[in-house]
Amino acid sequence: MKQFVILLVAGLFLLLPSVASADGFGIFVKKGYAPISGYIQTPAGGNPGTSDMKRPTFEELDVDHTDYMDIDLYYRSRKYTPYISLRLMDGDSSGILEKDLTTRGQTFSIGDSYDHETSFNIYRFGAKYDFAYLSPKVELAVMDFDYEFESTGIQAERSYTKSAVRFGAEKTFKIDALEIMLEASGSVPLSNTPEIYTVGAGVKYWFAEYVNVGLDVQYFYLDYEDDQDLPNHLRLEMQPAISLFIQYRF
């Protein structure tokens, strides 16, 4: 259902006019906050019994939000804009287990104290092209996942990197020094690749010729499940992700 909603929003952009920006290099830095939900199913070697199904959840790990940072570098040449984007986000916590947990081949008991660290970093390499009514884009997204869970002197660790091809579209409306932005993008549904979907809207104000500040709101959904007997299965949902940003173009 989420995929169809994103495609619908992208299709609505076709009805709206577009604006263009000046040529040149630019950098976009964003700092955000989002409530999160999901789980980190992490077996050992895909063997049944080495992880609880759809556990641990972020809720039981006492992680109810994440802070994140986006850094985008781009070069605009007429209507063509290649870009590199980095999103850093993590969730760390400590506490007492409220039920037994099996993860990464280790079993921990109710009442055990634990320390936990998880990071979901997303690297994107893409390009967009401005048409009269829409700016479609295509990109390679790389998910860098790192997970650590420690209790009673035993540590469970897992990290891996997976990539996905994504398509999307952007729309910008300009009213003097004010710009309103809309965006939607999603992954091509291929086996053993992460599904990453976003829908967002933002506003920015150019208080100088080359500098602007703004605010945006985004829905972010990540789901990855491999093809092992007991799969690695990650799910992360951020809604709403709210961020402040500054953009500078040379």
Side-chain angles (χ1 to χ4, degrees):
M1 178 60 71
K2 297 180 179 68
Q3 296 92 320
F4 292 111
V5 172
I6 292 173
L7 290 174
L8 175 62
V9 174
L12 291 175
F13 293 168
L14 291 170
L15 302 176
L16 305 172
S18 175
V19 299
S21 301
D23 292 358
F25 289 98
I27 183 169
F28 199 86
V29 179
K30 179 187 299 184
K31 181 65 176 178
Y33 169 93
I36 64 173
S37 60
Y39 50 82
I40 315 164
Q41 179 179 306
T42 310
N47 295 317
T50 59
S51 174
D52 292 331
M53 298 297 292
K54 297 184 178 180
R55 293 187 66 213
T57 66
F58 289 116
E59 182 179 9
E60 69 180 295
L61 291 173
D62 197 28
V63 179
D64 59 5
H65 75 277
T66 183
D67 300 318
Y68 64 93
M69 175 172 286
D70 289 349
I71 302 174
D72 297 350
L73 300 173
Y74 66 88
Y75 177 74
R76 180 178 174 84
S77 178
R78 296 186 179 181
K79 296 185 177 182
Y80 175 69
T81 307
Y83 59 85
I84 299 173
S85 179
L86 166 65
R87 169 164 288 188
L88 301 174
M89 53 185 172
D90 55 36
D92 302 341
S93 64
S94 60
I96 304 295
L97 286 175
E98 297 183 357
K99 61 172 70 174
D100 294 347
L101 172 67
T102 298
T103 182
R104 191 61 180 155
Q106 303 288 345
T107 297
F108 305 95
S109 300
I110 183 173
D112 288 346
S113 60
Y114 69 85
D115 292 300
H116 151 261
E117 296 181 10
T118 297
S119 64
F120 294 85
N121 297 329
I122 308 293
Y123 314 102
R124 299 184 293 122
F125 308 87
K128 68 176 183 176
Y129 189 87
D130 294 328
F131 290 102
Y133 291 94
L134 187 68
S135 298
K137 59 184 178 180
V138 60
E139 63 186 31
L140 173 68
V142 179
M143 177 192 74
D144 183 18
F145 169 73
D146 187 74
Y147 167 69
E148 296 182 11
F149 186 92
E150 184 175 3
S151 179
T152 63
I154 301 173
Q155 189 171 55
E157 296 180 289
R158 183 72 168 99
S159 61
Y160 51 85
T161 300
K162 297 292 179 178
S163 60
V165 177
R166 303 179 74 237
F167 291 94
E170 295 182 4
K171 204 60 206 158
T172 303
F173 309 92
K174 188 172 183 179
I175 307 171
D176 296 325
L178 190 70
E179 290 186 8
I180 300 172
M181 306 160 292
L182 302 173
E183 184 271 345
S185 57
S187 300
V188 178
L190 300 174
S191 176
N192 200 33
T193 64
E195 300 179 28
I196 305 171
Y197 302 101
T198 59
V199 176
V203 59
K204 60 185 176 182
Y205 180 77
W206 291 92
F207 64 88
E209 184 178 0
Y210 297 107
V211 183
N212 69 64
V213 295
L215 168 74
D216 75 3
V217 179
Q218 183 187 75
Y219 169 78
F220 179 93
Y221 176 83
L222 182 153
D223 190 287
Y224 171 69
E225 184 175 8
D226 62 25
D227 53 8
Q228 299 183 102
D229 291 339
L230 179 61
N232 288 282
H233 193 183
L234 316 175
R235 180 167 294 173
L236 171 65
E237 192 168 11
M238 303 160 61
Q239 57 173 341
I242 301 174
S243 62
L244 299 172
F245 62 81
I246 183 169
Q247 179 181 358
Y248 182 81
R249 65 188 184 197
F250 301 90

